[in-house]
Amino acid sequence: MEKKRNPFDSKVVHYLRPNQPFQCGRPGDPCEMGPTTSGRCSSPDGRCNPVPGEGKTRQRFFRAATLLTLGIVLVVLSGNDFTSLDPGTHSSFHSHLDCASCHDQIDLISVDFLRRGILSQGEPHASMKCLDCHVMGEHGAKPHSIAPEYLSLLTEGLSDSGRPIENVACARCHEEHRPQESTRSIHDTRCQSCHQQQFPSFDDGHPEFSSTYGQPKRAIQFDHGDHARKHFSEYPDLAPESCDDCHILAPDRHRMMVQPFAISCAPCHADSISGHGPTGKNRGIEFLSLPSLDSETLSQTGRDIGAWPRVGSDFPRGWSLRWIREGMSEDTDLEILSGVELYDLENQPDEVLAATQKLALQFKNQLRKALDSDLEIFIRSLVSPAEEMDVDRVQISRLSGKLPRSLLEQARTSWFPPPEEESVISSESSTEDDSMRDENDDDDEDLLVDDDDDDLLTDDDDDLLLDESHPADLATTDRDESSITRSGGTISAIDPDKWANAGGWYFDAPSIRYRPVEHADRFIQEWATMEAKIGGKDPDSKSIFQQVFGPLAAGNCATCHIGVQLDEPKVLWSPSSMRPPSYPQATHFSHGPHVLSGSSATCLSCHEIASDPQLSNDWKSISRNTCTECHGQQIQSGCTTCHEYHVGPRSRLLNSARIEQLNLPRKK
Amino acid sequence: MLNLRTPSIRVIFFVVVAIIVFHYRLHVSNRSLGDLAMTSGWFLLASFLLLGLYGLRKKLPFLPLGKTSTWLMLHLATGFLGAYFFLDHTGYRLPTGTFDILLWIGYAIIILSGFTGWILMRTIPPSLRESMHLLPERIHAEIESMIGKADAEIKELRSSTSNSAFESAYLSVLRPYLHDGPGFFPKGSKESHYLPADLSARYSRSINFSQLEPASVENRIHQVIIRKSELDRQLRLHRWMRGWLLIHLPVTGSMVILIGLHILVVHTFAAGSGG
């Protein structure tokens, strides 16, 4: 239907100017000319009251709002109140900070404010303020908080890292003023800005783990399968029932640790250290030993070395050789004597005799010096020159094993007795002790069997310790079948090795020996550690290492401690000594969330025993599939779940207080 | 009823390309450890300036810079883009800082008022076309004319009859209504004889509308009332159609200042390269 057109048109209405800023406001009878553009009535009598048009009204609103806002902004800024510009709440970590803690304080109405805002990109040292509190080390602001040179080595060939390694502002990853988002939650794309090998997620495209992941370098050799199959069935009372009988979660809840030796191993293996049990070696470690020399031949050829016992040990080795090496010529003397049987020097060339004499005199000289000095000097004389400067007093204490001076004196007396004693011993040894020597090896020089009149243990008349009228001493005198009578006195001829079954130092002619009975013996640990590190840098290291840590050494250390190897820069005594992690440690795994109650996982959820166990490990490595059974599904799987960005050695330092801050009054 | 025009291919192409470029730049920024908020902020500012060009274009109608309808379509498309950039820039959340909240609310008002205006502009004109409508500038004169005619009818009625009931009702109820403004919301309806409810009650006590003679003065006056009601409706719709601009434009003016300050503050205090 056609609508009726509007009869109202310009012929009826006098004046309309909708495109003008003002209109005539007189109702009913607008004037012909209308108001001026400035809003004044153009009529001479000014009868009209012009009203603004729609556009003019909008323009007035626009200007008013703009100017009002500008005014408010200027008023607020003039107060220099930074809180009015507060971009948002801090994260909880920074809730105690004010603006000046992180930002430079500048006047909000100033040239500097405008200059920075217009010309620059933020504060010039923005991240440096973060590092005031977060001590990240020398390279804290560098990528991964490590030295650029080191990073270049790590990333060589892994990325198109042609870009210069510049400082990375903390805020590039840690966004502040966003309380809904943790400043510690880093989006994966941040990592992928440099790491070029990109993939959608952990369970989709992440590279497979290394073939040894989950198989850390072992410090202890332990075959789980072998124990479970054989030993535990043989000794069910001693067998563990579950993994946590031997393994516990560390206090930090990240690492799994092996229970101490006393709990996990000692019930079965304690005896093997002390020398008891089926695998025990009941003979102590030969520390210093007098070599057997043909002193008669030397004397006959005019190379007198003074008194020298007829019975000694083989060619010097280990500590003994290092002890006398100082006075010997490496290239000539020791080379000449190499392979020579020193106890038979007949028909040996003169240079051999000369070198042997030199060796004997050096031995005596060192012994004299040792007895004239102190224990530290003595032990330092046994430390390799390659290591000596780095040995502190605590190490010296451990290396000494608290060797008593009296033992050294006993050895000296036994090896080189005073003339009157020497004659007695010589005569006795030539007449009646040959058979006993065969039976009870090297007992000749033992003070316990010496005929010395002053020997409290052997003098029947004056024996203060032995009272035959006492039942206990009666038992003592009767019990030992090997008790012998020498020079009219009864002494115990018990093997010194047996006597020392509680461990420690003892003299078993011609050697000073040390016998460990306790796990983690400091003396053995320290010497083995030191000699393992020195390795091939010292000619005697291997020999000493073999003496304290060889397969036949007392203590049986090498049976389990495979982490201690000669020439290995890192000596791993125990699983815990493998931590803290080496630098840089870019990947972390926390056992806690995986194994604590509440989780349905058990140890065997991830660890699978290998069907073909290797010496180094009897567990299969952990594959990515093991993790993706949970991660990437309902469990988070971002890069930082497993990877650490700040891998620098000083990425986490204790915020330690200074002593002065205690404000304690000074004592008068 | 919302009367949407199908956007042109060029506008769709513009929006799609802008979004692709936006995300590409974000990707590049992300790959270079850039500040994503800074990148999206620049895009948001660009969209804001582009939206402002539409207002500038209206100030220069004499220049051959394309059709106004094209510019409007571009303005709308940029408005959609700006809303997208805005949400991305703010992380799809309400900020917590006072100044940031102010910015957020201001920009949200601009966006919402703009889209409200767009919906009104597409809804109201068809409604106006349903009846004979006038230019809003001429409605006042029309109403003046109607009042004159009604007054003349009443004079004629006074001379022809001694019953002054209707005249009294006209002077006390109807004539004030004819002079009254349209208001912002509807006042009358068919059930209330197109009068506001309170006036209708008083009017009904004097006049029985169901028995009015078609040729009577009372009926002609009532037709004037109906016409006034229709013109009031038109005026209201025009007010709605233009009124949103009284929010959209002033808030835009305020935002120009606040955005400028925001850029200064961000560049002054945001974490830089780390030195």
Side-chain angles (χ1 to χ4, degrees):
Chain A
M1 187 181 74
E2 188 177 342
K3 289 183 178 176
K4 184 183 176 184
R5 296 297 300 169
N6 181 17
F8 188 83
D9 57 26
S10 58
K11 293 178 181 173
V12 179
V13 177
H14 299 289
Y15 182 72
L16 279 175
R17 18 188 262 166
N19 58 342
Q20 295 297 311
F22 289 94
Q23 295 166 22
C24 181
R26 187 164 51 185
D29 185 21
C31 61
E32 292 290 333
M33 293 178 289
T36 64
T37 53
S38 60
R40 293 188 177 183
C41 180
S42 55
S43 172
D45 55 1
R47 294 177 301 165
C48 300
N49 184 21
V51 293
E54 197 175 279
K56 187 67 179 177
T57 304
R58 288 200 294 263
Q59 191 182 59
R60 282 182 170 177
F61 269 72
F62 181 87
R63 285 180 181 171
T66 306
L67 292 174
L68 182 66
T69 306
L70 183 62
I72 291 172
V73 164
L74 289 175
V75 168
V76 169
L77 293 185
S78 64
N80 222 21
D81 182 10
F82 283 83
T83 56
S84 59
L85 299 176
D86 177 16
T89 317
H90 297 127
S91 61
S92 58
F93 304 107
H94 298 148
S95 57
H96 62 291
L97 301 178
D98 58 12
C99 303
S101 300
C102 303
H103 299 288
D104 289 344
Q105 287 280 49
I106 59 171
D107 290 338
L108 293 179
I109 296 187
S110 66
V111 175
D112 193 29
F113 177 60
L114 291 174
R115 183 182 58 78
R116 279 197 185 184
I118 295 171
L119 301 179
S120 73
Q121 282 278 313
E123 293 166 306
H125 302 292
S127 289
M128 297 300 117
K129 290 259 186 179
C130 305
L131 299 180
D132 286 349
C133 298
H134 299 272
V135 181
M136 305 295 288
E138 183 186 359
H139 306 291
K142 297 291 182 190
H144 291 293
S145 301
I146 56 178
E149 305 79 38
Y150 195 81
L151 183 66
S152 298
L153 286 175
L154 291 177
T155 58
E156 193 174 15
L158 292 180
S159 70
D160 61 345
S161 54
R163 69 181 73 176
I165 299 175
E166 299 170 339
N167 285 355
V168 179
C170 304
R172 288 288 172 266
C173 298
H174 303 285
E175 293 188 351
E176 189 44 275
H177 300 295
R178 293 193 175 186
Q180 298 93 333
E181 299 162 21
S182 168
T183 53
R184 299 183 65 183
S185 68
I186 309 302
H187 198 270
D188 290 354
T189 53
R190 301 278 88 177
C191 305
Q192 292 178 337
S193 65
C194 295
H195 293 265
Q196 303 296 310
Q197 187 177 356
Q198 297 188 3
F199 41 85
S201 64
F202 174 65
D203 59 328
D204 182 10
H206 186 284
E208 183 53 89
F209 300 160
S210 73
S211 59
T212 57
Y213 184 71
Q215 294 178 319
K217 186 177 180 183
R218 276 187 157 186
I220 303 294
Q221 177 190 347
F222 182 84
D223 191 330
H224 289 80
D226 206 33
H227 276 72
R229 280 188 296 267
K230 194 164 66 177
H231 307 311
F232 294 162
S233 58
E234 289 176 10
Y235 304 96
D237 294 342
L238 298 174
E241 293 181 354
S242 61
C243 301
D244 62 354
D245 282 0
C246 296
H247 298 277
I248 54 170
L249 189 62
D252 62 10
R253 296 194 172 195
H254 296 320
R255 295 171 292 129
M256 287 300 295
M257 301 197 315
V258 178
Q259 294 265 33
F261 174 83
I263 297 174
S264 56
C265 310
C268 299
H269 296 283
D271 282 351
S272 64
I273 296 176
S274 62
H276 302 89
T279 58
K281 300 173 182 65
N282 58 7
R283 191 161 173 78
I285 296 166
E286 183 184 273
F287 184 61
L288 286 181
S289 187
L290 182 81
S292 181
L293 299 181
D294 186 356
S295 57
E296 289 180 8
T297 304
L298 287 173
S299 180
Q300 289 166 5
T301 55
R303 298 190 178 279
D304 188 23
I305 59 172
W308 198 273
R310 293 176 59 192
V311 178
S313 64
D314 295 336
F315 192 85
R317 63 186 179 123
W319 286 285
S320 302
L321 184 56
R322 183 181 282 169
W323 199 37
I324 60 174
R325 189 184 289 279
E326 184 187 345
M328 306 289 287
S329 170
E330 182 76 30
D331 298 334
T332 56
D333 299 335
L334 292 176
E335 191 176 331
I336 289 167
L337 294 178
S338 175
V340 175
E341 294 176 340
L342 298 179
Y343 56 83
D344 183 10
L345 296 174
E346 284 186 36
N347 304 321
Q348 290 290 350
D350 189 57
E351 57 183 10
V352 171
L353 298 176
T356 307
Q357 182 194 28
K358 204 171 180 181
L359 183 148
L361 294 177
Q362 174 64 10
F363 191 93
K364 284 188 170 183
N365 186 45
Q366 287 290 69
L367 183 60
R368 181 186 54 77
K369 280 167 61 179
L371 287 166
D372 288 345
S373 59
D374 55 40
L375 185 57
E376 181 178 349
I377 294 174
F378 170 58
I379 295 300
R380 284 193 185 279
S381 69
L382 296 171
V383 173
S384 167
E387 187 70 13
E388 189 177 7
M389 295 303 292
D390 299 324
V391 179
D392 59 29
R393 299 197 68 160
V394 173
Q395 285 178 287
I396 287 291
S397 172
R398 292 173 178 171
L399 292 169
S400 74
K402 315 292 190 297
L403 172 70
R405 188 175 189 277
S406 59
L407 192 68
L408 208 56
E409 285 181 339
Q410 179 190 353
R412 196 262 303 266
T413 307
S414 173
W415 291 333
F416 313 112
E420 62 274 18
E421 298 173 7
E422 190 176 12
S423 61
V424 173
I425 293 174
S426 298
S427 61
E428 288 177 350
S429 61
S430 62
T431 55
E432 60 186 40
D433 282 346
D434 287 349
S435 58
M436 185 178 69
R437 187 180 305 119
D438 295 337
E439 178 184 346
N440 195 6
D441 190 26
D442 299 334
D443 271 353
D444 298 46
E445 319 304 329
D446 194 333
L447 285 179
L448 294 175
V449 296
D450 202 316
D451 281 340
D452 191 337
D453 292 341
D454 295 327
D455 191 339
L456 297 177
L457 296 176
T458 58
D459 190 338
D460 283 351
D461 297 329
D462 300 316
D463 193 343
L464 300 176
L465 298 176
L466 185 64
D467 180 1
E468 289 186 8
S469 63
H470 195 279
D473 288 338
L474 275 173
T476 305
T477 54
D478 293 341
R479 68 177 179 188
D480 198 341
E481 295 176 356
S482 63
S483 293
I484 59 171
T485 301
R486 298 177 66 188
S487 302
T490 301
I491 61 166
S492 170
I494 189 170
D495 186 343
D497 282 306
K498 288 183 180 175
W499 186 85
N501 61 1
W505 292 101
Y506 65 98
F507 182 73
D508 186 5
S511 306
I512 295 174
R513 291 180 176 273
Y514 180 86
R515 184 169 174 183
V517 295
E518 199 177 9
H519 182 253
D521 185 279
R522 291 288 180 84
F523 174 79
I524 290 183
Q525 262 195 321
E526 201 64 42
W527 277 107
T529 302
M530 193 168 71
E531 301 303 334
K533 286 179 180 173
I534 295 170
K537 288 185 283 188
D538 185 281
D540 303 313
S541 273
K542 185 176 180 183
S543 172
I544 296 174
F545 185 79
Q546 287 297 322
Q547 281 182 268
V548 294
F549 206 79
L552 300 176
N556 278 324
C557 306
T559 306
C560 300
H561 291 277
I562 58 173
V564 182
Q565 300 288 338
L566 204 63
D567 280 327
E568 283 287 329
K570 189 162 188 175
V571 175
L572 305 175
W573 276 100
S574 65
S576 58
S577 67
M578 300 166 74
R579 274 85 175 184
S582 58
Y583 157 70
Q585 179 78 3
T587 306
H588 57 82
F589 176 80
S590 180
H591 277 88
H594 295 82
V595 299
L596 285 175
S597 58
S599 166
S600 58
T602 69
C603 303
L604 296 180
S605 300
C606 301
H607 295 286
E608 187 181 354
I609 201 155
S611 54
D612 52 342
Q614 306 292 314
L615 177 65
S616 60
N617 217 302
D618 57 347
W619 294 99
K620 288 183 178 176
S621 62
I622 305 293
S623 70
R624 188 174 63 95
N625 289 339
T626 308
C627 305
T628 53
E629 287 179 13
C630 299
H631 289 277
Q633 310 296 320
Q634 70 273 33
I635 310 290
Q636 62 172 335
S637 60
C639 297
T640 53
T641 304
C642 301
H643 296 290
E644 198 79 44
Y645 173 79
H646 295 290
V647 295
R650 298 181 64 194
S651 59
R652 291 290 170 89
L653 284 188
L654 177 66
N655 196 12
S656 177
R658 298 186 61 78
I659 301 300
E660 304 91 82
Q661 292 176 287
L662 291 170
N663 290 325
L664 295 174
R666 185 178 293 275
K667 272 192 176 179
K668 292 181 180 176
Chain B
M1 182 64 73
L2 190 62
N3 181 21
L4 293 177
R5 284 184 195 168
T6 305
S8 71
I9 294 295
R10 280 183 293 181
V11 169
I12 294 173
F13 180 75
F14 166 72
V15 171
V16 170
V17 167
I19 289 176
I20 290 173
V21 170
F22 174 66
H23 280 281
Y24 174 73
R25 289 307 307 172
L26 282 181
H27 176 71
V28 169
S29 176
N30 203 13
R31 288 286 298 273
S32 58
L33 273 183
D35 190 335
L36 300 186
M38 198 72 83
T39 304
S40 60
W42 284 122
F43 272 85
L44 183 57
L45 178 68
S47 71
F48 189 80
L49 296 175
L50 195 58
L51 287 166
L53 284 181
Y54 177 63
L56 196 65
R57 167 70 184 83
K58 287 204 292 189
K59 299 287 182 188
L60 305 168
F62 49 87
L63 293 179
L65 296 174
K67 292 191 291 185
T68 303
S69 60
T70 305
W71 276 90
L72 177 61
M73 192 65 80
L74 189 66
H75 185 76
L76 284 169
T78 311
F80 274 106
L81 279 175
Y84 180 68
F85 297 158
F86 169 71
L87 291 173
D88 190 278
H89 183 64
T90 56
Y92 300 90
R93 63 180 175 81
L94 186 67
T96 52
T98 312
F99 181 55
D100 281 12
I101 289 177
L102 197 64
L103 277 169
W104 196 94
I105 292 175
Y107 210 94
I109 288 175
I110 292 179
I111 292 172
L112 288 177
S113 62
F115 285 120
T116 304
W118 173 61
I119 291 171
L120 291 174
M121 296 286 275
R122 304 310 304 167
T123 309
I124 291 175
S127 176
L128 285 174
R129 281 196 293 272
E130 287 175 359
S131 62
M132 185 174 61
H133 74 281
L134 299 175
L135 290 176
E137 291 80 6
R138 294 185 175 178
I139 288 178
H140 291 292
E142 170 73 359
I143 290 175
E144 289 293 330
S145 170
M146 288 162 50
I147 292 172
K149 286 178 182 173
D151 286 349
E153 293 282 358
I154 288 298
K155 284 179 185 174
E156 183 183 335
L157 181 66
R158 187 188 300 158
S159 61
S160 61
T161 177
S162 58
N163 188 355
S164 62
F166 184 79
E167 181 184 355
S168 171
Y170 173 78
L171 293 174
S172 62
V173 178
L174 300 181
R175 198 163 190 278
Y177 168 68
L178 292 175
H179 279 91
D180 199 7
F184 204 74
F185 297 103
K187 294 176 181 174
S189 64
K190 189 172 183 180
E191 290 71 27
S192 63
H193 319 298
Y194 301 99
L195 285 168
D198 56 334
L199 296 183
S200 174
R202 294 168 61 188
Y203 187 56
S204 302
R205 282 198 296 269
S206 309
I207 306 295
N208 186 351
F209 286 96
S210 59
Q211 295 178 356
L212 287 178
E213 289 292 334
S216 65
V217 172
E218 290 86 346
N219 190 43
R220 289 200 294 273
I221 294 294
H222 190 229
Q223 293 304 314
V224 169
I225 296 298
I226 294 171
R227 175 65 177 159
K228 168 67 165 57
S229 175
E230 167 59 21
L231 291 177
D232 278 354
R233 188 183 74 88
Q234 291 187 19
L235 272 177
R236 276 195 304 273
L237 290 176
H238 279 292
R239 280 186 176 182
W240 287 359
M241 208 159 54
R242 309 284 181 186
W244 65 272
L245 283 168
L246 293 179
I247 298 173
H248 190 72
L249 292 179
V251 176
T252 301
S254 296
M255 286 300 291
V256 169
I257 303 298
L258 294 180
I259 288 173
L261 179 62
H262 176 66
I263 293 171
L264 282 177
V265 168
V266 164
H267 279 183
T268 303
F269 294 111
S273 62

